[in-house]
């Protein structure tokens, strides 16, 4: 983040320009018609977002980004002049050119530099190539040109940072040398002044000065060595002071001078290297980081070792200084034989020589250190710089989007159909029936638009009436003529329309000339007579309990059709199953009815709820099992298939009732007349004209 902050500040990435589009805005990087040169946000504000509307080449207005209009007339700003707005101060300038788009409204965002740096640091990808020291740097951004500039600038900022780390030792050394040079400059000026004054006062002859110079040349070698050793002693004292006061071990030690103790020189280099390494790690982690703690442990060991080695090296240095000073003292003792004036001049010139040698030595070290700063090389080399042509779309990928769209386009409907089928437990189509049972499908009856119970009447031309006529025709395929006198009508549950089918099919048979009898065999929930609007004093229950004769049961439905008759259920008994189990009476009843009528329809209870229809099976010739579209459960078809395969009910066939008109069951056909009317119908697709 620290390196990226330098990139953000250099490229001014904390200011962004956008052109608003119909779906999303697009960033104008390096091609915005307006550029924010400088700004100062209002007190307490760290970010801002607003719209800039360009009026002409010289003026503009600012507006809130939220879309709220200003309470007062917006003020006009001038490009190239400072402009105050809502406590902020801005300086914009206008850009024009061939590659600059001609947008009239620009959205400008000012963000916190640290947040932008953190954002782009997170976008940076770094990977190492296998078996090499090459790093691949990449960045994802909406604007490829910006990513290229960021990577290029990041190299520059990183190079400066690494050089700054390397030069930290040299800078500390220069600081130490400059302090010494400042002191020596004053001392040297004072000594030179003393020499001039001394010569003028005593009028030194050339011969005397020559004698002094000869002796001084001999002493200079010893004085130079003493000065260098003294400088090393001062540097050791400075290092000891830094080490004892630097408890956090963040200070870099001066390292431009080579001590005679090579072990001490190596320890100083290792110590400075670990300090720089620790500081680099702390830029991207905390002191609790294991890597930082490992370096800290090494620094502690080096710190103790340096203090011990400095103490030992200083003792050795003191002994070396005393040795050189002794030799210099021996040579100096020879000066007692020369006159006093010459001896005093020698002392002053000797001080000058010592300070000059030390001054020149420090100047040499200073130049060497400055040269090191100037020629510091980078630790890395750019193999391939980032380029715009290398950019590729990361997201959204067209192939993935197309594949996803195809999957969703096909998968969602399939999933929807699957879920509908999974959670739909009711029959919805003919396929639902035929795929679950082997029982034949006799026909289908559409849901009537009329609320009348009896929809089949003489002369009726409605679609539902035609479906019952078709159902009547299909009976010929179920049972041949002469062996289909008694038909049992049942269902799996109440409400599926078996009574409706019984009445209307009976009416259709009566219209064909057949003497047809409707028998209300549902003793538990009788509805046939009630729905037909007929009430009889005697019913089937009366006969079964011995309170009525056979000729008292039959009620003619002359108002409906002369060929249609009815036997009512009678009052509801407490034991319907036991009554129907009276074989003698039931056989007598059925024999009598077969002699009197061509067709007999038995409206029985649902076979899925009670066993009454199974008791009637031995008296019937065929069974019509009624299912209701969108109502009957699919599990009921298992029972239908079992009844069909086991032949517990004779010649079982299925009728689907309540089909919605818009559903297309099976095929359809139609015909019409030229007199202005006609009708067409199909299985479930009926319409009237």
């Amino acid at each position: 983040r620290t390196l990226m902050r330098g990139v953000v500040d250099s490229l001014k990435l904390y200011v962004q320009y956008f052109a608003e589009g119909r779906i999303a805005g697009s960033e104008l990087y390096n091609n915005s018609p307006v550029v924010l040169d400088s700004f100062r946000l209002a007190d307490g504000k760290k970010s801002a977002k607003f719209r800039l509307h360009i009026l002409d080449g010289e003026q503009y207005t600012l507006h809130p980004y939220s879309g709220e209009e200003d309470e007062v007339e917006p003020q006009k700003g001038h490009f190239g002049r400072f402009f105050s707005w809502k406590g902020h101060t801005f300086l914009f300038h206008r850009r024009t050119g061939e590659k600059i788009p001609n947008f009239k409204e620009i959205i400008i965002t000012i963000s916190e530099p640290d947040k932008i740096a953190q954002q782009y640091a997170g976008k940076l990808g770094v990977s190492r190539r296998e078996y090499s020291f090459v790093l691949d740097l990449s960045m994802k951004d909406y604007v490829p040109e910006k990513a290229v500039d960021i990577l290029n600038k990041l190299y520059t900022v990183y190079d400066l940072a690494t050089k700054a780390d390397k030069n930290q030792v040299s800078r500390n050394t220069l600081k130490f040398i400059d302090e010494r040079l400042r002191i020596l400059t004053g001392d040297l000026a004072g000594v030179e002044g003393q020499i001039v004054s001394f010569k003028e006062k005593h009028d030194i002859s050339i011969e005397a000065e020559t004698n002094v110079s000869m002796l001084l040349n001999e002493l200079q070698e010893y004085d130079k060595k003493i000065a260098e050793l003294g400088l090393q002693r001062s540097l050791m004292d400075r290092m000891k002071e830094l080490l004892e006061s630097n408890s956090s071990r963040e200070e870099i030690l001066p390292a431009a001078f080579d001590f005679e103790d090579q072990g001490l020189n190596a320890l100083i280099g290792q110590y400075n290297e670990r300090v720089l390494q620790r500081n680099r790690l702390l830029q991207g982690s905390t002191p609790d980081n294991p890597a930082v703690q490992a370096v800290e442990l090494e620094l502690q060991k080096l710190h103790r070792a340096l203090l011990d080695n400095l103490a030992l090296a200083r003792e050795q240095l003191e002994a070396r200084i005393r040795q050189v000073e002794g030799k210099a003292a021996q040579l100096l003792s020879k000066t007692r034989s020369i006159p006093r004036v010459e001896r005093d001049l020698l002392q002053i010139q000797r001080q000058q020589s010592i300070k000059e040698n030390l001054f020149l030595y420090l100047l040499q070290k200073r130049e060497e250190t400055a040269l090191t700063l100037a020629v510091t090389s980078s630790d890395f080399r750019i193999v391939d710089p980032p380029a715009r042509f290398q950019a590729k779309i990361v997201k959204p990928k067209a192939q993935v989007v197309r594949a996803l769209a195809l999957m969703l386009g096909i998968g969602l409907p399939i999933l929807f159909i699957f879920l509908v089928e999974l959670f739909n437990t009711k029959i919805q189509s003919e396929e639902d029936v035929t795929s679950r049972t082997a029982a034949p499908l006799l026909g289908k009856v559409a849901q009537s638009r009329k609320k009348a119970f009896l929809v089949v009447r003489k002369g009726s031309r409605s679609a539902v009436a035609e479906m019952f006529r078709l159902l009547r025709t299909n009976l010929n395929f179920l049972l041949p003529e002469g062996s289909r006198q008694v038909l049992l009508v049942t269902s799996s549950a109440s409400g599926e329309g078996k009574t409706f089918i019984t009445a209307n099919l009976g009416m259709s048979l009566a219209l064909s000339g057949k003497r047809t009898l409707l028998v209300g065999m549902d003793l538990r929930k009788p509805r046939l007579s009630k729905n037909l609007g007929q009430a009889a004093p005697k019913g089937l229950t009366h006969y079964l309990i011995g309170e009525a004769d056979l000729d008292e049961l039959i009620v003619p439905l002359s108002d409906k059709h002369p060929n249609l008759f009815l036997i009512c259920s009678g009052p509801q008994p407490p034991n319907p199953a036991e009554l129907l189990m009276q074989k003698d009476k039931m056989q007598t009843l059925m024999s009598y009815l077969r002699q009197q009528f061509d067709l007999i329809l038995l409206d029985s209870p649902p076979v899925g709820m009670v066993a009454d229809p199974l008791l009637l099976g031995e008296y019937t010739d065929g069974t019509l099992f009624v299912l209701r579209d969108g109502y009957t459960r699919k599990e009921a078809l298992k029972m239908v298939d079992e009844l069909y395969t086991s032949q517990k009910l004779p010649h079982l066939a299925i009728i689907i009732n309540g089909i919605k008109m818009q559903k297309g069951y099976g095929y359809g056909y139609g015909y019409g007349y030229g007199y202005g009317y006609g009708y067409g119908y199909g299985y479930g697709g009926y319409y009237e004209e």
Side-chain angles (χ1 to χ4, degrees), residues 401-643:
V401 172
R402 293 192 188 101
L404 186 61
L406 185 62
M407 289 174 59
L408 291 177
I410 298 177
L412 282 181
I414 293 176
L415 179 62
F416 176 75
I417 294 171
F418 172 75
L419 291 177
V420 168
E421 289 295 319
L422 181 65
F423 292 104
N424 179 29
T425 59
K426 312 293 180 62
I427 62 170
Q428 299 289 337
S429 65
E430 178 181 338
E431 185 181 358
D432 289 342
V433 177
T434 56
S435 62
R436 287 173 170 81
T437 178
L441 181 63
L442 187 66
K444 313 172 196 73
V445 178
Q447 187 175 8
S448 176
R449 296 177 182 176
K450 301 178 182 179
K451 294 184 178 180
F453 175 71
L454 202 61
V455 296
V456 179
R457 295 179 180 275
K458 186 177 182 180
S460 174
R461 308 301 297 270
S462 68
V464 179
E466 289 298 329
M467 296 183 83
F468 274 104
R469 293 187 181 99
L470 185 62
L471 191 63
R472 178 188 64 194
T473 304
N474 289 342
L475 283 175
N476 293 323
F477 300 99
L478 178 65
L479 295 172
E481 185 73 26
S483 62
R484 52 183 173 86
Q485 274 191 286
V486 182
L487 297 176
L488 177 69
V489 183
T490 185
S491 64
S492 63
S494 177
E496 292 177 311
K498 59 178 181 56
T499 303
F500 172 78
I501 296 295
T502 301
N504 285 278
L505 181 59
M507 184 65 180
S508 179
L509 292 170
L511 288 172
S512 67
K514 305 290 184 181
R515 281 176 57 85
T516 306
L517 174 66
L518 307 178
V519 182
M521 283 289 182
D522 191 349
L523 304 182
R524 301 171 185 272
K525 213 171 184 180
R527 290 182 180 177
L528 183 61
S529 58
K530 181 180 179 181
N531 291 340
L532 289 172
Q534 297 291 331
K538 301 292 184 178
L540 184 61
T541 305
H542 294 91
Y543 167 74
L544 293 175
I545 62 176
E547 294 184 0
D549 295 330
L550 291 176
D551 54 0
E552 298 179 276
L553 301 180
I554 301 172
V555 177
L557 299 177
S558 303
D559 58 331
K560 308 292 190 293
H561 196 276
N563 290 333
L564 190 61
F565 299 87
L566 171 69
I567 294 180
C568 298
S569 301
Q572 184 175 354
N575 53 348
E578 285 77 2
L579 292 179
L580 294 176
M581 291 176 66
Q582 301 180 60
K583 283 194 174 184
D584 295 339
K585 289 191 174 184
M586 287 299 299
Q587 287 177 352
T588 302
L589 172 65
M590 298 311 296
S591 298
Y592 176 77
L593 296 179
R594 284 178 182 272
Q595 296 173 3
Q596 300 293 324
F597 298 96
D598 297 324
L599 281 170
I600 303 164
L601 299 179
L602 305 181
D603 180 28
S604 69
V607 71
M609 302 177 69
V610 294
D612 296 3
L614 299 177
L615 299 175
L616 300 173
E618 60 178 298
Y619 310 115
T620 60
D621 302 318
T623 304
L624 304 180
F625 203 102
V626 179
L627 305 175
R628 184 175 174 181
D629 179 48
Y631 183 86
T632 303
R633 292 186 174 275
K634 293 178 181 179
E635 291 116 358
L637 295 174
K638 294 181 181 179
M639 176 187 63
V640 175
D641 192 60
E642 183 184 355
L643 292 174

Side-chain angles (χ1 to χ4, degrees), residues 26-27 31 66 88 136 145 210 215 223 254 315 352 356-357 386 395 411 484 496 591 613 643 662 687:
S26 58
E27 184 174 356
N31 63 341
S66 59
H88 311 300
D136 288 327
E145 292 80 5
T210 302
L215 187 59
D223 290 339
E315 292 179 3
Q352 180 192 19
E356 280 182 352
N357 289 332
K395 61 179 182 179
R484 52 183 173 86
E496 292 177 311
S591 298
L643 292 174
Q662 64 269 25
Y687 55 91

Side-chain angles (χ1 to χ4, degrees), residues 19-249:
E20 196 167 25
R22 289 181 297 176
I23 299 176
S26 58
E27 184 174 356
L28 304 175
Y29 178 73
N30 286 342
N31 63 341
S32 172
V34 174
V35 175
L36 179 60
D37 285 332
S38 63
F39 64 91
R40 186 180 70 251
L41 298 180
D43 294 340
K45 297 290 185 179
K46 295 183 179 180
S47 60
K49 192 173 185 179
F50 51 89
R51 298 175 185 268
L52 185 144
H53 185 73
I54 302 174
L55 300 177
D56 50 40
E58 297 182 357
Q59 293 181 323
Y60 62 88
T61 56
L62 298 181
H63 306 273
Y65 173 72
S66 59
E68 300 175 358
E69 297 296 331
D70 292 335
E71 298 178 357
V72 295
E73 184 75 17
Q75 297 180 350
K76 296 179 181 179
H78 294 264
F79 291 109
R81 301 181 191 175
F82 282 98
F83 177 64
S84 297
W85 180 75
K86 294 184 178 296
H88 311 300
T89 302
F90 303 111
L91 176 62
F92 295 98
H93 82 260
R94 187 81 160 84
R95 294 179 64 197
T96 56
E98 187 176 334
K99 296 183 179 180
I100 304 300
N102 189 24
F103 291 112
K104 291 299 182 182
E105 189 168 84
I106 307 296
I107 300 172
I108 300 176
T109 301
I110 302 174
S111 307
E112 294 184 57
D114 283 335
K115 288 186 177 180
I116 297 297
Q118 184 68 43
Q119 174 186 343
Y120 281 105
K123 291 182 177 181
L124 180 67
V126 182
S127 60
R128 178 178 173 181
R129 293 194 181 180
E130 194 173 6
Y131 307 117
S132 73
F133 293 100
V134 179
L135 295 180
D136 288 327
L137 270 65
S138 62
M139 177 167 286
K140 298 178 183 178
D141 195 77
Y142 292 105
V143 184
E145 292 80 5
K146 182 193 284 189
V148 170
D149 290 347
I150 290 174
L151 289 177
N152 280 321
K153 183 60 66 174
L154 182 62
Y155 298 146
T156 304
V157 174
Y158 177 75
D159 189 25
L160 293 175
T162 53
K163 288 180 179 178
D165 285 345
K166 287 183 176 181
N167 293 335
Q168 194 169 352
V169 176
S170 299
R171 286 195 298 269
N172 284 3
T173 304
L174 279 177
K175 181 180 177 183
F176 172 78
I177 293 175
D178 288 339
E179 290 177 359
R180 301 296 298 174
L181 283 174
R182 188 172 59 253
I183 298 172
L184 280 174
T185 302
D187 293 344
L188 190 57
V191 172
E192 289 175 347
Q194 289 180 13
I195 293 175
V196 174
S197 299
F198 188 85
K199 287 183 178 181
E200 290 177 351
K201 180 179 178 181
H202 295 92
D203 193 17
I204 303 296
S205 64
I206 296 177
E207 182 182 356
E209 190 170 350
T210 302
N211 294 332
V212 170
S213 297
M214 292 175 59
L215 187 59
L216 183 62
N217 289 336
E218 296 181 20
L219 286 171
Q220 277 182 349
E221 293 298 325
Y222 292 106
D223 290 339
K224 182 179 179 181
K225 191 63 177 178
I226 292 172
E228 292 179 1
L229 294 175
L231 184 61
Q232 291 188 16
R233 180 173 57 188
S234 299
L235 186 57
M236 285 184 180
D237 293 340
R238 174 63 175 164
M239 287 184 177
K240 182 179 179 182
E241 180 184 346
L242 289 174
L243 289 171
E244 290 177 346
S245 63
N246 185 20
S247 58
S248 60
R249 289 175 286 281

Side-chain angles (χ1 to χ4, degrees), residues 286-420:
T286 64
D288 296 330
N289 188 292
V292 177
Q293 291 180 349
V295 175
E296 185 69 31
L297 185 61
E298 290 186 37
L299 276 175
Q300 292 176 5
K301 295 178 180 178
L302 289 171
H303 187 271
R304 290 192 297 268
L306 266 176
L307 287 174
D308 295 340
N309 276 267
L310 278 174
L312 181 60
R314 198 179 188 285
E315 292 179 3
Q316 296 174 352
L317 189 62
E318 287 287 353
R320 177 79 170 133
I321 292 173
R322 288 194 297 269
Q323 180 184 5
V324 177
E325 286 178 344
K327 292 182 180 181
Q330 291 177 6
L331 183 61
L332 191 60
S333 63
K334 298 179 181 180
T335 62
R336 293 174 183 173
S337 60
I338 64 177
R340 184 180 177 203
V341 174
E342 294 180 11
R343 187 170 62 247
D344 291 342
L345 178 60
L346 178 62
Q347 292 290 344
I348 297 173
Q349 287 184 337
R350 184 187 177 201
Q351 292 296 322
Q352 180 192 19
S353 176
I354 292 172
K355 296 186 183 300
E356 280 182 352
N357 289 332
L358 184 57
F359 186 81
L360 292 174
Y361 178 71
L362 287 174
L363 281 180
Q364 179 186 354
K365 289 297 181 182
R366 190 180 189 280
E367 289 303 315
E368 290 176 358
T369 306
L371 184 62
T372 302
L373 282 172
V375 298
T376 302
S377 61
S378 300
D379 283 339
F380 71 97
R381 181 175 68 86
I382 300 176
V383 179
D384 289 320
R388 172 64 179 85
F389 71 88
Q390 292 176 316
K392 58 183 179 180
I393 297 177
V394 179
K395 61 179 182 179
K397 291 186 176 180
Q399 294 180 348
V400 175
V401 172
R402 293 192 188 101
L404 186 61
L406 185 62
M407 289 174 59
L408 291 177
I410 298 177
L412 282 181
I414 293 176
L415 179 62
F416 176 75
I417 294 171
F418 172 75
L419 291 177
V420 168

